[in-house]
Amino acid sequence: MNIIVCVKQIPDPETPAASFKVDEAAKKVIPAQGIAPVVNPYDPQATEAALRLKDAAGGGKVTVISLGPDSARDAIKHALAMGADEGVLLNDPAFDDIDNFQTANALAAAIKKIGECDLVLMGRASADWDMGVVPLGVGQALGVPVVSVAKAIEKTANGVKVERVLDDGFQTVEAPLPAIVTVSNEFGEPRYPQLRQIMMAAKKTVQVWSAADLGLGADATGAANRVMPLEALYVPKVESNVEIIEGDSPEEKARNLAQKLRAAKLI
Amino acid sequence: MPGILVVAEAAEGAVTPASFELIGAARKLSGEGAGPVAAFIAGSEAQAKELIAVGADSAYTSDAATQADILLPAVQAAVAQSGADIVLIAQSSLGRDLGPMLAFANNTGVAMDSTELKIEAGRLRATRSAYGGNARAEHTWKSPLQVVTVKAKSFDAPEADASRSGAVTAIAEKGESKITVLGTEKAVSTGIRIEDAAVVVSGGRGLGDESAFKALEELAGTLKVAAVGASRAACDLGWYPPSQQVGLTGKTVSPNLYIAIAISGASQHMAGMAGSKNIVSINKDADSNMVRVSKFAIIDDYKKVLPALIEEIKKLG
Ligand SMILES: Cc1cc2nc3c(=O)[nH]c(=O)nc-3n(C[C@H](O)[C@H](O)[C@H](O)COP(=O)(O)OP(=O)(O)OC[C@H]3O[C@@H](n4cnc5c(N)ncnc54)[C@H](O)[C@@H]3O)c2cc1C
Ligand SMILES: Nc1ncnc2c1ncn2[C@@H]1O[C@H](COP(=O)(O)O)[C@@H](O)[C@H]1O
């Protein structure tokens, strides 16, 4: 089974609010001191799903694609260390500050160029923009079905059977291949690469493709061609007016809290 | 003439509360000059009339299955027939797929999970949370069509007025899906829906184990009007079902009282409950984000606080 996994490098989503800063004029996040960028947390889960499906199928290839700056190579290396076979970095100044519509089209072009592919696995959303739209765009561009927010994926005779997480429960669906499936946190923990695997991954090939390699002209890339301009980016203000409930013991604090809540008519 | 199309949804025969909130958002934009409000629902004429009663000027119905790829051509037809240049969709399981699909089909983008909408010089400007809630982003569109999904509880549903009237048109277009639904399983929800509860009692990783949720359920039971929620960390540990998860990737709640027990207040959790009117936290760490945003906080071990709190509330009656 040949599977393509799309992985994105993002600022660490667990960056504490206190360290999170924005350059409002540039409409960009200022990288937090000492906090390295990470792989979007859902993407190793997509990689894990790919590796398990490949194993279950008894063969095939897992190719990892990332569109991003030079440092995005690390996101690919992480997937290779987990066990993916090859990587492709989509890297071009023309990709700087593009929007997710443009990203989807570039990823779709890369998937077409790779060719043989039964299944594309992606994360349910990137934890930077928190949108969850690129997979639907890739599906549209490739004309293949997209099954979103997967908790479990299984190969069947007809394609893939996917257990999805819904707002109010779960749904099981089956899609023919080729298909795109997005993986959610409910899928479970991905494997963590060991040192030996990290060293082995260094030997695996990572090709680098430019916009021109993908046949994307100047009208398809570049921040100027965003379909949705970003007008402002800022950090919302939060005020703190907390009243710490006093008491000599935890029990007394609890009693004082109950009384305060009653006085404020909150209970 | 431009206008707004609201994509409403029904669940178990009833128009969802989020759909009425979308009408509230649409009326606000209409008041700012965005044109009339049309509503679309894959549902009955009676449901279409409910949407008109709360503020739609006209409505479209479809008998297509509520699956994004099947609904897309129907929604496209409603956009064309209504002439809408703004489409509002709920950030629901359906909307998460339909929003991007509709946008990409029209060569444009979508602002997902938007919390504020306004008209500026005749065009839409959407504000949404990004970076897990640490930032706010404002977007506009270059394309004629402007598509947004709207976060639950961001707008108030208008009062229904049964005397309002408008045309209801049935739409025949529907798509075909390559995806076969084999089964759907509803999360077992006991008691009040977390989205509707006046009080939400939520637990986090700091509870230490699954059994602590029993005490949270007891507290909720004592308060009568409460539902129990959880942080994603607690859900990922298998302590509580994902349907009760509060946050960016879980439910959005805005109760009168939110009691956060052993939850640190990561921005992604806050994204689901920052709209709560009053926040109370029980946490060992006075510097935690949840304590900072609280009205009242107890800095102590929840294990000692919680039983006494339940007892005292029982006493107060
Ligand atoms: C893309 C993405 C999406 C996410 N979506 C969500 C989401 O929808 N919802 C969500 O909740 N999270 C979400 N998260 C995770 C989020 O970043 C945090 O990791 C998570 O909210 C932390 O959960 P917590 O507060 O329960 O645990 P922790 O951060 O570990 O906090 C535990 C708290 O318990 C306190 N504590 C410990 N012991 C005790 C005790 N005995 N008594 C009292 N207090 C105690 C500690 O002081 C601490 O404040 C998301 C993350 C990402 C990257
Ligand atoms: N720049 C990118 N490079 C590779 N994959 C991406 C990129 N952006 C988004 N994706 C994929 O699309 C998923 C959803 O992203 P998004 O739509 O940006 O929230 C991610 O989890 C990735 O699998």
Side-chain angles (χ1 to χ4, degrees):
Chain A
M1 197 175 188
N2 292 322
I3 306 172
I4 293 176
V5 185
C6 298
V7 303
K8 186 179 184 186
Q9 188 185 49
I10 60 165
D12 189 341
E14 313 253 350
T15 303
S19 313
F20 183 88
K21 304 241 153 45
V22 161
D23 176 343
E24 290 188 18
K27 292 177 272 193
K28 277 189 183 169
V29 172
I30 302 169
Q33 277 282 321
I35 305 178
V38 297
V39 191
N40 178 41
Y42 301 108
D43 299 348
Q45 287 170 310
T47 310
E48 178 67 42
L51 296 171
R52 288 192 208 167
L53 285 165
K54 179 187 147 181
D55 279 351
K61 190 158 98 179
V62 175
T63 309
V64 189
I65 311 179
S66 187
L67 181 152
D70 292 336
S71 63
R73 201 179 274 273
D74 291 344
I76 295 175
K77 289 278 176 199
H78 185 266
L80 295 177
M82 284 178 72
D85 301 293
E86 283 177 17
V88 181
L89 175 66
L90 311 183
N91 179 262
D92 196 309
F95 294 144
D96 287 352
D97 299 320
I98 58 175
D99 63 16
N100 44 43
F101 177 76
Q102 296 165 301
T103 301
N105 287 327
L107 289 175
I111 292 166
K112 268 196 210 145
K113 189 173 156 84
I114 290 170
E116 276 166 63
C117 167
D118 302 303
L119 181 67
V120 180
L121 294 176
M122 307 175 79
R124 68 173 279 179
S126 326
D128 48 1
W129 292 101
D130 301 322
M131 284 266 205
V133 300
V134 168
L136 281 310
V138 175
Q140 186 121 355
L142 298 176
V144 300
V146 182
V147 179
S148 57
V149 199
K151 173 180 192 276
I153 310 167
E154 193 189 312
K155 173 85 183 68
T156 60
N158 304 325
V160 278
K161 191 165 109 184
V162 182
E163 198 179 334
R164 305 180 59 210
V165 184
L166 300 185
D167 290 336
D168 286 304
F170 303 97
Q171 184 182 54
T172 310
V173 303
E174 191 166 52
L177 299 180
I180 298 176
V181 178
T182 79
V183 179
S184 187
N185 51 294
E186 287 84 359
F187 184 83
E189 285 292 307
R191 70 193 68 180
Y192 204 77
Q194 304 300 311
L195 189 62
R196 203 178 67 88
Q197 294 162 307
I198 296 172
M199 284 165 63
M200 270 163 56
K203 299 197 192 85
K204 296 182 182 173
T205 41
V206 178
Q207 299 188 57
V208 183
W209 293 346
S210 68
D213 292 331
L214 297 173
L216 297 172
D219 55 338
T221 54
N225 288 312
R226 291 176 68 103
V227 291
M228 270 175 70
L230 176 64
E231 303 288 354
L233 187 70
Y234 50 93
V235 177
K237 303 224 175 348
V238 227
E239 294 174 35
S240 180
N241 295 308
V242 60
E243 177 181 344
I244 305 290
I245 307 288
E246 304 295 342
D248 290 334
S249 66
E251 292 78 9
E252 188 183 326
K253 292 178 191 171
R255 285 192 290 276
N256 290 343
L257 173 63
Q259 278 153 18
K260 293 248 182 211
L261 291 175
R262 174 51 62 85
K265 296 199 167 63
L266 291 173
I267 56 168
Chain B
M1 166 154 142
I4 307 156
L5 180 73
V6 164
V7 178
E9 285 177 59
E12 289 168 34
V15 179
T16 58
S19 302
F20 295 128
E21 293 169 17
L22 292 180
I23 301 275
R27 284 262 58 108
K28 172 194 180 279
L29 296 177
S30 181
E32 293 169 11
V37 178
F40 170 92
I41 188 156
S44 64
E45 186 168 343
Q47 289 169 343
K49 289 198 167 134
E50 270 186 72
L51 292 162
I52 290 172
V54 293
D57 299 307
S58 63
Y60 298 90
T61 58
S62 156
D63 61 2
T66 48
Q67 201 175 308
D69 43 6
I70 298 178
L71 274 184
L72 180 64
V75 174
Q76 291 264 51
V79 171
Q81 287 185 36
S82 64
D85 60 349
I86 295 176
V87 182
L88 306 183
I89 304 175
Q91 177 78 5
S92 58
S93 291
L94 176 69
R96 267 190 262 273
D97 289 347
L98 185 60
M101 279 169 114
L102 178 68
F104 289 127
N106 289 283
N107 288 320
T108 187
V110 51
M112 299 297 286
D113 222 0
S114 297
T115 51
E116 285 168 51
L117 301 170
K118 65 177 173 211
I119 300 295
E120 266 181 20
R123 300 285 294 167
L124 183 63
R125 190 174 175 111
T127 303
R128 58 183 303 278
S129 148
Y131 292 91
N134 276 336
R136 294 284 176 279
E138 296 184 11
H139 288 280
T140 55
W141 286 255
K142 278 195 196 144
S143 56
L145 192 68
Q146 306 155 96
V147 185
V148 294
T149 66
V150 180
K151 189 181 185 70
K153 318 272 181 187
S154 302
F155 294 88
D156 291 326
E159 289 288 319
D161 170 359
S163 70
R164 284 182 51 90
S165 66
V168 178
T169 312
I171 284 184
E173 284 88 342
K174 59 185 89 156
E176 273 175 29
S177 182
K178 292 184 186 148
I179 299 166
T180 318
V181 177
L182 302 176
T184 304
E185 187 190 322
K186 290 258 338 154
V188 272
S189 66
T190 43
I192 309 164
R193 267 170 29 110
I194 190 164
E195 301 96 312
D196 304 334
V199 180
V200 173
V201 180
S202 273
R205 175 154 48 200
L207 291 178
D209 70 86
E210 181 174 359
S211 63
F213 274 96
K214 288 272 166 286
L216 267 65
E217 284 171 354
E218 190 186 349
L219 173 59
T222 308
L223 294 167
K224 292 183 187 71
V225 290
V228 175
S231 73
R232 188 169 106 181
C235 293
D236 281 352
L237 285 160
W239 297 349
Y240 224 55
S243 57
Q244 300 304 105
Q245 179 186 314
V246 172
L248 182 68
T249 43
K251 295 281 153 68
T252 303
V253 300
S254 56
N256 191 37
L257 177 60
Y258 189 87
I259 307 180
I261 306 176
I263 299 178
S264 63
S267 57
Q268 294 92 350
H269 185 82
M270 307 300 291
M273 44 64 69
S276 303
K277 314 291 175 295
N278 299 282
I279 298 168
V280 168
S281 48
I282 303 174
N283 201 303
K284 283 206 293 206
D285 174 11
D287 296 326
S288 79
N289 207 32
M290 189 60 85
V291 169
R292 281 190 345 116
V293 301
S294 292
K295 181 180 175 75
F296 301 123
I298 291 183
I299 310 304
D300 219 316
D301 185 350
Y302 86 91
K303 287 195 190 98
K304 303 214 177 76
V305 175
L306 197 50
L309 183 63
I310 295 171
E311 198 180 309
E312 186 68 14
I313 293 173
K314 279 186 182 153
K315 242 190 257 165
L316 293 172

